[in-house]
Amino acid sequence: MNTTSNRKRRISAVAILGLAASVAATGTGLAATTPPSTVHATAATAAAAPPRSFQGTLPAPTGPYAAGEDVIHLTDASRPDPWVPSSGPRQLTVTMVYPAVPGTGTPAPYMTLAEAAGHIQHVKIPASSGITPQNLSSVTTHAFDRARPQRGKYPLVVLSPGFGDPRMVLTSLATDLASHGYVVALVGHTHEDSGETLANGQTPPCAICDDPNFDMDTVAASRALDVSFVIDQLTHGNTAWRLAHLIDKHEIGMAGHSIGGAAAATTMIADPRVLAGVNMDGSFDPAPMPGQINRPFLMLGAAAYHSAGGGDNWGQAWAALGGYKKWLAVAGANHPSFTDVDLLEEEAGFPTPPLDPEHGIVITREYVTAFFDQTLKGIHSPLLDGPSPNNPEVLFQH
């Protein structure tokens, strides 16, 4: 990031119509990519148009297992909330996605009604879009509540979303990882996004999105504490989650988008249990120093601003990484291409980047899964060896 103000700037006023590299460590929300002037123009002309009906559908998982889902609520009694201390101890909502038996469980909602309403308000989705809390919460996820788990133990992968984004925008990745034999913990970082419904039923809005007195290094450090606490809760006994016995606590990885990707590096520095990390299109806040990360790390970003020789700090991070590492830049991608957002925006009729949104999800799933297969399961994937004819957009930087 170039300046403090740019590091805090949200995608809501930019993105698809010209996303700059300086916002690569911020988050992105559904329909946040329409500039305000366009929103006003659309709202003014939409009155005469028939109302749009939004029906969102995420791509189905590609692995042999179904994706089961549980939502759990955790409270860190040893740590006050860093952003709203008056709210008491740090509370987190976590979606657990796991390998399940096909045909069991009931379809899981994308988010709660309150989370959907908060997101629509947070990113100022115009009413003319046809996106409502009801249909946003009802996006087809291909995850199933309380589905019967597959037997066995599986590596744990923690996912952390971008700044301002609810945890659900990484659902496509989470369900696919689960279908390939991973337990996934999708962490909602309370008060850092459009709203996570907590155990008490409240869905607090973002407390720091417009605060001029914090920086992204602080956010990444706080997320590292969140993630280590979640790992503690999932690997010490079976009280935090009813299916904790599925987790192989000796094989843990973390991936994140935007500031969540920066937090993956920060977490690895602080917590040796995290054996492999992925940064999806986030500037490093801060960049690791030589010797701090000597475990596997994947850098997967948009070619427009995360190519070798670019103006961000990926080159500095790359030089510091001491273990197995890959740097992949995706041509035609924008910042949300590594999340559900571009696909849902396309389904809602919003403009999208040159990279086909569904193919962006395919690329994200295939390369992140291949990386964790190789680093957590010891399964070599030729996909990581060099360019692939099926994914010509993926450019190997080193």
Side-chain angles (χ1 to χ4, degrees), residues 1 48 81 85 101-102 113 143 151 158 169-170 216 229 281 287 290 339 350-351 358 376 382 396:
M1 306 309 295
D81 188 273
V101 176
L113 281 172
R151 294 182 178 180
V158 182
V169 301
L170 296 178
M216 287 296 175
F229 171 70
D281 211 55
T339 73
F350 288 93
E358 189 154 3
L376 297 181
F396 282 68

Side-chain angles (χ1 to χ4, degrees), residues 5 17 26 33 51 80 103 121 128 162 165 182 207 217 259 291 332 352 384 398:
S5 61
L17 302 182
T26 61
T33 53
Q121 181 178 8
S128 58
D165 288 348
Y182 292 88
D217 291 7
I259 189 61
T352 54
L384 298 173
H398 289 281

Side-chain angles (χ1 to χ4, degrees), residues 142-168:
H142 302 283
F144 295 88
D145 278 333
R146 300 190 72 83
R148 183 152 52 91
Q150 295 281 350
R151 294 182 178 180
K153 287 189 176 292
Y154 305 93
L156 172 66
V157 174
V158 182
L159 297 182
S160 180
F163 185 65
D165 288 348
R167 68 192 189 280
M168 306 81 176

Side-chain angles (χ1 to χ4, degrees), residues 44-335:
T45 58
R52 179 186 297 274
S53 179
F54 168 69
Q55 290 184 314
T57 301
L58 302 179
T62 61
Y65 306 130
E69 179 178 306
D70 284 338
V71 175
I72 63 174
H73 301 280
L74 305 175
T75 300
D76 186 352
S78 69
R79 179 183 172 218
D81 188 273
W83 315 122
V84 186
S86 61
S87 66
R90 182 66 163 162
Q91 298 182 69
L92 298 172
T93 300
V94 181
T95 299
M96 302 301 303
V97 191
Y98 56 91
V101 176
T104 64
T106 57
Y110 191 52
M111 54 178 71
T112 67
L113 281 172
E115 288 164 341
H119 191 66
I120 288 170
Q121 181 178 8
H122 180 73
V123 299
K124 300 178 175 60
I125 298 176
S128 58
S129 69
I131 299 174
T132 66
Q134 289 74 23
N135 58 33
L136 181 56
S137 67
S138 300
V139 165
T140 300
T141 65
H142 302 283
F144 295 88
D145 278 333
R146 300 190 72 83
R148 183 152 52 91
Q150 295 281 350
R151 294 182 178 180
K153 287 189 176 292
Y154 305 93
L156 172 66
V157 174
V158 182
L159 297 182
S160 180
F163 185 65
D165 288 348
R167 68 192 189 280
M168 306 81 176
V169 301
L170 296 178
T171 297
S172 290
L173 177 58
T175 55
D176 203 57
L177 283 167
S179 78
H180 286 277
Y182 292 88
V183 172
V184 180
L186 189 47
V187 181
H189 301 280
T190 310
H191 299 125
E192 298 176 29
D193 60 32
S194 56
E196 307 282 344
T197 300
L198 302 177
N200 61 8
Q202 296 180 356
T203 308
C206 189
I208 59 173
C209 289
D210 298 311
D211 186 344
N213 298 315
F214 81 96
D215 62 27
M216 287 296 175
D217 291 7
T218 304
V219 175
S222 177
R223 290 195 174 197
L225 294 174
D226 285 350
V227 170
S228 288
F229 171 70
V230 169
I231 293 173
D232 288 343
Q233 294 295 294
L234 293 175
T235 59
H236 293 173
N238 296 333
T239 57
W241 179 43
R242 67 186 181 93
L243 300 178
H245 61 274
L246 296 176
I247 295 171
D248 180 351
K249 63 182 180 181
H250 302 295
E251 299 293 345
I252 299 175
M254 179 178 175
H257 174 247
S258 198
I259 189 61
T266 304
T267 302
M268 289 184 72
I269 293 169
D271 194 332
R273 295 174 297 180
V274 181
L275 302 182
V278 181
N279 181 350
M280 299 182 292
D281 211 55
S283 292
F284 288 87
D285 297 294
M289 301 296 290
Q292 288 186 313
I293 299 179
N294 293 318
R295 284 156 281 157
F297 205 91
L298 170 65
M299 296 158 53
L300 176 66
Y305 36 84
H306 283 142
S307 296
D312 56 32
N313 63 0
W314 276 36
Q316 180 184 352
W318 175 260
L321 295 171
Y324 172 81
K325 56 186 179 179
K326 292 291 178 179
W327 180 348
L328 309 178
V330 183
N334 69 354
H335 194 49

